Amino acid sequence: MTKAVVIGAGPVGLTTAMLLAQRDFEVVVLDRDPAPPDSVEDTWEEWSRRSVGQFRQVHFLTAGGRTLLEEHTPAVVDAMLDAGAVPFNQIRGVGTGLGLEGLDDVDLTRFDTVTSCRRPIMEYGFVTAARATPGIEMRNGVAVKGLDTGPSAIGGVPHVTGVVTESGEVVPADVVVDAGGRRSPVSAMLAELGARPVEQHAEDLGFVYNTRYYRGAVAPEYRTDALSAAGSISILTMPGDRGHWAVTLYHSTNDKAMRRLRDPAVFDRVLRAHPLHAHWAEGEPVTEVMPMAATVNTQRGFVIDDQPVATGLVPIGDAWGFTNPSLGRGITLGVMHAVDVTPVIADHAHDPATMAKEWERATNERAVPWHEATVAFDRIRGPEIEAFWQGLPDPHDPNDLAVAGHRAFVSAAHYDAQCLAWLGEVASCMTLPDDVVARDGVLTRVLEVALANEPYVPPHPDRTTLESLLI
């Protein structure tokens, strides 16, 4: 039987393990953090995941992610529901909140998902499903300190044949999957083997997130977007399990005045000053304000000049590339990458050179375009936030078709149900922006709607008023 070791027991690592087990692999999942409590009710308070810095920040499973899970690992969706995750349709909620006509004429059921803003609850579902999958051995509290190697498959390139744990145990494998996330230590381990350095391409657009969780009898309704651009800040609102929900206010890392948002009283004042979001503060606060500096948008290159830095090793999800979390795509894009790469592992586990080549092909086919599309959003929004808080004019060239097209599409979605559904495909990680716009009639309708209406901007306090709330 073919053996695989998966480093990391987050959603992407466990999805990969389940997909490999379906293909008759014997899979060992190693995770340095403890397993979750036996009871899901204790998960939020008691489960410690020190290796996941964003473990208690807001998370979201897009409808595209839900579709992938239902197709490939349906037990995860069932287990998430059992754990308390809630059915949610972001596009229907936004469209209803905006009062758009014609919503019933558009197929919105494809945007149904199952989610919880509290990641531990969602992750509990992945753990439950993986534990019930034959062929998977899960070992928590086991840290990997190095990689074991064997004879090279490509001259001068290390070939990984397993991992070495902190206790000194060697766990052999035909393939090692690095699902260790954005903090994965595997690049350093490769350097210790004398491998060519992993290339890292990073772009820092500088956001700080401030999140607070609430609970109440009924989750707040949407009156505008789940993610709203409001001048020099953006507002993210997400539903959760068992009557919980979350609000995140994020701003530029350079905007020192907004650091006052870490004070719960200030956070509350600022939230209540936004008319379409104020009701999200009406619940019972169950946490303080939890800040997090946004991670740098990053891709890691494991194949350089057509040669892998190592064979027998496959990075997946955040271990390969990650983006700022504001669009809530992380879990979905990681699952997408796992779905695309698992067949490569299954078909070429005993042909390491071909596996490395096919991993790059599969990654470039879908993961790279989605990564770049996500970063493109930051490239528009980041400079806007900087300009708003500094009182500067529009930072973008009005003749830049990419920016103008993005703005027209977003604005039109607030006035027309069909445009909202098209934007929903992008937001839900179903269809890339360029592929939606390339369809017959889409660009024409978007421009007609956008030009017939004022650019949509949710009501929000101006900068002077906003600063007065920070005192």
Side-chain angles (χ1 to χ4, degrees):
M1 180 174 285
T2 307
K3 297 182 178 181
V5 167
V6 177
I7 303 173
V12 177
L14 294 180
T15 298
T16 305
M18 286 183 277
L19 292 172
L20 289 173
Q22 290 172 10
R23 292 172 176 266
D24 296 324
F25 274 64
E26 183 179 289
V27 186
V28 177
V29 180
L30 303 178
D31 194 272
R32 66 183 307 132
D33 294 325
D38 292 333
S39 170
V40 68
E41 285 79 9
D42 298 327
T43 297
W44 176 258
E45 295 292 341
E46 297 183 11
W47 194 7
S48 174
R49 295 275 273 141
R50 290 187 178 182
S51 63
V52 184
Q54 70 277 22
F55 191 55
R56 282 182 170 74
Q57 291 291 329
V58 175
H59 279 73
F60 179 53
L61 178 67
T62 72
R66 184 269 309 165
T67 299
L68 287 169
L69 291 174
E70 287 192 337
E71 180 179 354
H72 298 280
T73 55
V76 172
V77 178
D78 294 337
M80 284 174 60
L81 284 168
D82 289 343
V86 294
F88 177 55
N89 189 311
Q90 178 183 0
I91 305 305
R92 185 181 298 280
V94 170
T96 302
L98 292 169
L100 295 186
E101 297 180 358
L103 286 174
D104 292 337
D105 299 327
V106 181
D107 177 17
L108 298 182
T109 57
R110 55 189 165 151
F111 302 119
D112 291 342
T113 191
V114 173
T115 192
S116 174
C117 60
R118 301 199 299 174
R119 172 170 169 163
I121 307 304
M122 284 200 290
E123 194 160 318
Y124 192 94
F126 282 86
V127 171
T128 301
R131 283 175 171 172
T133 302
I136 296 178
E137 177 189 354
M138 295 180 61
R139 296 170 61 181
N140 289 92
V142 178
V144 173
K145 73 171 183 179
L147 302 171
D148 196 33
T149 58
S152 293
I154 300 174
V157 175
H159 177 59
V160 176
T161 57
V163 301
V164 182
T165 69
E166 283 191 341
S167 68
E169 177 189 4
V170 175
V171 184
D174 296 292
V175 60
V176 172
V177 175
D178 178 14
R182 60 193 64 184
R183 296 179 175 181
S184 169
V186 167
S187 293
M189 295 176 188
L190 288 170
E192 291 175 359
L193 298 178
R196 187 173 180 178
V198 173
E199 289 187 345
Q200 186 153 300
H201 308 281
E203 185 173 352
D204 187 0
L205 290 160
F207 297 131
V208 174
Y209 298 85
N210 302 276
T211 296
R212 199 174 198 198
Y213 290 88
Y214 302 82
R215 67 182 170 202
V218 180
E221 65 181 2
Y222 278 90
R223 297 174 185 171
T224 187
D225 306 274
L227 175 62
S228 293
S232 57
I233 67 171
S234 286
I235 305 174
L236 176 66
T237 50
M238 277 291 143
D241 61 286
R242 297 172 179 78
H244 289 83
W245 63 86
V247 178
T248 300
L249 307 180
Y250 73 85
H251 59 85
S252 165
T253 53
N254 298 318
D255 190 352
K256 295 181 180 180
M258 294 307 299
R259 294 176 185 176
R260 289 282 296 150
L261 285 173
R262 299 177 186 183
D263 182 328
V266 173
F267 186 98
D268 186 74
R269 283 200 298 272
V270 170
L271 178 57
R272 291 177 184 275
H274 291 76
L276 300 184
H277 298 87
H279 61 297
W280 286 80
E282 295 302 323
E284 173 193 358
V286 293
T287 66
E288 297 297 308
V289 178
M290 298 184 291
M292 181 186 78
T295 50
V296 178
N297 295 310
T298 300
Q299 280 189 44
R300 294 176 177 136
F302 289 84
V303 178
I304 304 168
D305 299 330
D306 296 324
Q307 182 166 285
V309 298
T311 57
L313 173 74
V314 177
I316 289 184
D318 283 2
W320 160 75
F322 51 89
T323 59
N324 276 327
S326 57
L327 298 183
R329 292 176 172 176
I331 292 177
T332 295
L333 296 187
V335 168
M336 183 187 294
H337 199 204
V339 166
D340 292 345
V341 170
T342 300
V344 168
I345 299 172
D347 292 343
H348 305 291
H350 300 288
D351 183 357
T354 301
M355 183 168 65
K357 180 179 179 180
E358 287 298 297
W359 171 86
E360 184 182 35
R361 178 201 58 75
T363 300
N364 287 337
E365 193 169 273
R366 193 156 60 151
V368 168
W370 273 108
H371 181 101
E372 293 178 348
T374 305
V375 175
F377 173 86
D378 278 359
R379 292 187 185 127
I380 294 175
R381 183 59 183 146
E384 288 176 347
I385 286 180
E386 290 286 338
F388 272 115
W389 81 262
Q390 295 181 68
L392 299 175
D394 188 344
H396 297 294
D397 182 349
N399 297 315
D400 185 330
L401 294 180
V403 175
H406 168 82
R407 289 174 172 173
F409 202 167
V410 171
S411 185
H414 292 82
Y415 297 103
D416 180 84
Q418 181 59 71
C419 291
L420 175 64
W422 287 329
L423 186 63
E425 291 185 50
V426 175
S428 300
C429 298
M430 295 175 174
T431 315
L432 287 162
D434 289 348
D435 293 338
V436 173
V437 174
R439 294 177 188 159
D440 289 343
V442 170
L443 185 58
T444 299
R445 182 159 180 168
V446 165
L447 292 177
E448 286 178 350
V449 173
L451 292 172
N453 295 278
E454 291 293 322
Y456 180 81
V457 179
H460 62 274
D462 61 26
R463 180 66 189 193
T464 300
T465 302
L466 182 62
E467 290 187 357
S468 72
L469 300 171
L470 303 177
I471 300 172

